[in-house]
């Protein structure tokens, strides 16, 4: 058995969703919308299942979807991508990450990551033979510094793997921080694998700046997107890789031996969805922002201290600032068992044995009624735990 997997448990998302089901708790843990997203996109997939081919799609994705991805990023992020050469369709962003890592790093290469980070990153890097180099970020600003980059980069640095907007911190990388990071990456010729699956879930009129918007990273940047987050259909697992032709060609070689191709009817429907008018997307994000505000106001009224929530489906609670002297893991386990609400402890996004991180993450992509029940449950938790 491979020791990397032998040492791992099931993911925190599976554990907390399992506990929520078992205990009948409100599930504000694993990040998925309570109701399925864009009905017109689902209807197009249903039509395509019957009307179109259900056989293998082209390995790099259908021409219609690659065109739609390039067009969408042209309109929304000012990118100019060649759909035939600079776009690859994968079976979800996690497959895209795996393919990028397998294709770009070799055993012994160092990959810099920022903790807390999405739980899949370290096992994927290690299984690809890479060495994980962690930069630890702290609330409430969760920003990296030049000093941290200086300490982390080495002659063995091959790549940086990051997330913007970030799950779980919700923060966006600013132009200034991109410029700082780009200086180091250009000097070391390190790739930047940028997980941008939350790019459309950004609040308060702020603009997402992705890796391909940074001119100093030309030829080094790999942008990863996902239909699951754009259309609130997390089960679909349709991802996109956008990068230079040389990088896409190399990453496609890994993809062809991972999943080879992605279900064609879903690609058809995602292409249809990406061509919807801009207002359709702004309405969806406005609805999520309203849910964020509802949860934030409800929790603040009960004495919880929430951290800034710039994007994603998530709102974080600072436990010590809320007067709760429990670790995030203890809080999450007690809250699901004693008051019936599932949350995600941010410690799960850090290496075991790391510094304490007493912050819990709540998913607000839920109905108002569910959010209200969650607030009531957390109110009871605060009474019990303070
Ligand atoms: N992205 C989801 C989250 O952050 C989890 C996906 C999963 O369960 N692997 O909650």
């Amino acid at each position: 058995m491979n020791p990397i997997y032998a040492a791992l448990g099931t993911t925190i998302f599976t554990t907390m969703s399992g506990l929520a089901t078992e205990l009948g708790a409100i599930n504000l843990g694993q990040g998925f919308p309570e109701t399925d997203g864009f009905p017109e996109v689902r209807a197009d997939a249903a039509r395509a299942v019957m009307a179109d081919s259900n056989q293998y799609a082209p390995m790099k994705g259908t021409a219609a979807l690659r065109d739609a991805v390039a067009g969408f990023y042209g309109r929304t992020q000012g990118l100019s991508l060649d759909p035939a050469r600079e776009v690859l369709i994968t079976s979800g962003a996690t497959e895209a990450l795996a393919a990028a890592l397998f294709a770009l790093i070799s055993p012994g290469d160092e990959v810099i990551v920022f903790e807390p980070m999405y739980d899949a990153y370290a096992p994927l890097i290690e299984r690809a033979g890479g060495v994980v180099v962690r930069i630890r970020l702290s609330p409430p600003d969760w920003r990296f510094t030049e000093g941290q980059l200086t300490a982390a980069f080495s002659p063995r640095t091959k790549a940086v793997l990051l997330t913007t907007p970030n799950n779980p911190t919700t923060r966006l990388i600013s132009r200034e921080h991109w410029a700082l990071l780009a200086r180091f990456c250009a000097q070391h010729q390190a790739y930047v694998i940028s997980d941008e699956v939350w790019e459309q879930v950004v609040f308060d009129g702020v603009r997402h700046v992705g890796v391909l918007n940074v001119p100093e990273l030309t030829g080094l940047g790999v942008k990863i997107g996902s239909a699951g987050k754009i259309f609130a259909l997390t089960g679909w697992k349709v991802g996109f890789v956008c990068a230079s032709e040389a990088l896409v060609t190399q990453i496609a070689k890994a993809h062809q031996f991972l999943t080879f191709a992605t279900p064609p009817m879903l690609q058809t429907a995602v292409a249809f969805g990406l061509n919807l008018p801009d207002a359709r997307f702004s309405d969806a994000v406005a609805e999520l922002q309203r849910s964020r505000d509802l949860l934030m106001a409800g929790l603040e009224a009960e004495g919880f201290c929430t951290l800034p929530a710039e994007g994603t489906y998530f709102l974080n609670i600072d436990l010590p600032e809320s007067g709760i002297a429990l670790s995030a893991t203890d809080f999450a386990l007690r809250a699901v068992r004693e008051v019936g609400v599932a949350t995600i402890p941010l410690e799960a996004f850090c290496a075991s044995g790391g510094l304490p991180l007493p912050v819990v993450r709540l998913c607000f992509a839920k109905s108002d009624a569910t959010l209200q029940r969650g607030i009531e449950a957390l109110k009871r938790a605060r009474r019990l735990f303070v």
Side-chain angles (χ1 to χ4, degrees):
M1 281 198 290
N2 180 274
I4 295 168
Y5 295 124
L8 289 172
T10 47
T11 78
I12 187 69
F13 309 113
T14 303
T15 303
M16 292 310 295
S17 280
L19 280 171
T21 306
E22 183 191 321
L23 301 167
I26 303 149
N27 192 353
L28 304 185
Q30 192 178 26
F32 62 90
E34 187 169 5
T35 46
D36 280 342
F38 289 47
E40 65 275 50
V41 176
R42 286 152 51 207
D44 199 63
R47 184 202 54 74
V49 169
M50 297 314 291
D52 296 349
S53 165
N54 287 268
Q55 307 309 324
Y56 298 124
M59 184 273 283
K60 287 176 73 177
T62 64
L65 181 52
R66 283 182 286 131
D67 285 348
V69 168
F72 182 75
Y73 286 140
R75 286 193 305 281
T76 58
Q77 296 177 21
L79 299 179
S80 127
L81 293 163
D82 176 345
R85 296 181 180 79
E86 297 173 328
V87 179
L88 170 73
I89 307 305
T90 58
S91 294
T94 308
E95 196 234 334
L97 279 166
L101 288 164
F102 292 175
L104 299 182
I105 69 170
S106 304
D109 286 344
E110 292 179 357
V111 180
I112 296 174
V113 295
F114 301 91
E115 252 184 10
M117 65 175 160
Y118 191 54
D119 63 347
Y121 295 172
L124 282 173
I125 294 167
E126 285 170 357
R127 199 65 185 91
V131 177
V132 180
V133 176
R134 296 175 160 83
I135 291 180
R136 181 64 183 248
L137 306 182
S138 302
D141 71 321
W142 307 107
R143 294 278 186 235
F144 55 80
T145 64
E146 182 165 5
Q148 285 178 309
L149 296 181
T150 306
F153 274 83
S154 88
R156 289 174 303 284
T157 305
K158 180 61 74 174
V160 175
L161 170 50
L162 53 77
T163 330
T164 186
N166 191 282
N167 175 14
T169 72
T170 84
R171 301 244 42 191
L172 275 65
I173 297 182
S174 65
R175 283 206 182 267
E176 294 68 39
H177 277 78
W178 271 123
L180 174 61
L181 181 67
R183 192 148 52 77
F184 283 83
C185 291
Q187 192 190 334
H188 289 80
Q189 284 300 290
Y191 302 114
V192 181
I193 303 169
S194 183
D195 176 349
E196 300 178 16
V197 298
W198 298 102
E199 61 202 342
Q200 284 290 113
V201 191
V202 176
F203 306 124
D204 306 313
V206 177
R207 273 184 79 86
H208 165 76
V209 181
V211 68
L212 301 185
N213 296 112
V214 185
E216 300 90 325
L217 291 174
T218 300
L220 295 173
V222 177
K223 172 184 176 69
I224 295 175
S226 164
K229 307 300 193 287
I230 294 175
F231 302 110
L233 299 167
T234 61
W236 276 30
K237 309 295 286 185
V238 177
F240 333 123
V241 174
C242 301
S244 68
E245 179 178 5
L247 292 184
V248 163
T249 303
Q250 175 77 354
I251 295 168
K253 290 181 190 169
H255 161 73
Q256 71 184 344
F257 293 137
L258 280 167
T259 58
F260 178 68
T262 298
M265 62 300 255
L266 297 182
Q267 295 196 51
T268 302
V270 171
F272 164 81
L274 291 174
N275 287 316
L276 287 169
D278 293 353
R280 182 67 182 88
F281 297 99
S282 38
D283 288 351
V285 83
E287 186 58 27
L288 282 166
Q289 182 168 321
R290 203 187 56 75
S291 299
R292 175 201 66 172
D293 293 346
L294 191 156
L295 183 62
M296 191 184 288
L299 292 176
E300 295 278 340
E302 297 306 333
F304 283 99
C305 173
T306 62
L307 293 170
E310 285 191 301
T312 77
Y313 294 159
F314 308 117
L315 177 66
N316 291 311
I317 296 178
D318 184 321
L319 294 176
E321 290 292 320
S322 305
I324 298 169
L326 291 175
S327 74
T329 304
D330 287 348
F331 178 93
L333 290 174
R334 287 193 58 185
V336 71
R337 294 201 173 106
E338 296 175 36
V339 300
V341 62
T343 60
I344 300 288
L346 256 62
E347 284 147 0
F349 296 84
C350 301
S352 51
L355 299 169
L357 187 57
V359 176
V360 290
R361 193 196 81 176
L362 310 176
C363 174
F364 53 74
K366 307 291 170 189
S367 67
D368 289 2
T370 299
L371 292 176
Q372 290 297 357
R373 287 170 58 221
I375 294 164
E376 284 302 314
L378 287 160
K379 177 176 162 183
R380 292 195 297 279
R382 203 159 174 284
R383 283 214 206 99
L384 281 175
F385 304 158
V386 166

